[in-house]
């Protein structure tokens, strides 16, 4: 079994938690998890609306990592790169 995607998501969660903690947030783990969840949800929504919009972002370790690590700005970056 390939554990690379799980390891990437855990590493991103740890990095986001550290960034949130340094920023003096009260619930850094929750905010980091929420950011990851919003990014991955946006990736799923973009792919579910492909038949309406014609825009598709292929699911891979890279796109899941960018969407989890970057949140909504990460999805915006992937959509912009998809246009090029």
């Amino acid at each position: 079994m390939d554990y690379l995607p799980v390891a990437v998501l855990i590493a991103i969660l740890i990095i986001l938690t550290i960034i949130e903690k340094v920023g003096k947030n009260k619930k850094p783990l929750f905010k980091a998890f929420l950011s990851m969840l919003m990014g991955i949800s946006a990736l799923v929504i973009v792919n579910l609306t492909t038949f309406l919009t014609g825009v598709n972002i292929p699911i891979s370790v890279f796109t899941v990592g960018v969407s989890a690590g970057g949140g909504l700005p990460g999805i915006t970056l992937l959509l912009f790169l998809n246009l090029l």
Side-chain angles (χ1 to χ4, degrees):
M1 184 173 185
D2 189 20
Y3 293 108
L4 182 63
V6 175
V8 167
L9 290 176
I10 290 173
I12 290 171
L13 180 62
I14 291 170
I15 291 169
L16 287 175
T17 303
I18 291 170
I19 291 171
E20 295 287 340
K21 185 69 174 171
V22 169
K24 307 281 189 213
N25 287 327
K26 293 184 182 195
K27 296 181 180 179
L29 186 61
F30 176 74
K31 290 192 182 246
F33 181 74
L34 187 64
S35 175
M36 287 178 64
L37 186 64
M38 286 176 48
I40 293 173
S41 298
L43 180 64
V44 169
I45 289 170
V46 166
N47 283 326
L48 286 177
T49 59
T50 298
F51 67 94
L52 294 173
T53 62
V55 177
N56 183 22
I57 300 174
I59 304 292
S60 68
V61 175
F62 175 72
T63 57
V64 171
V66 169
S67 65
L72 295 177
I75 292 297
T76 306
L77 174 69
L78 288 173
L79 287 171
F80 177 73
L81 290 175
N82 195 19
L83 291 175
L84 295 179

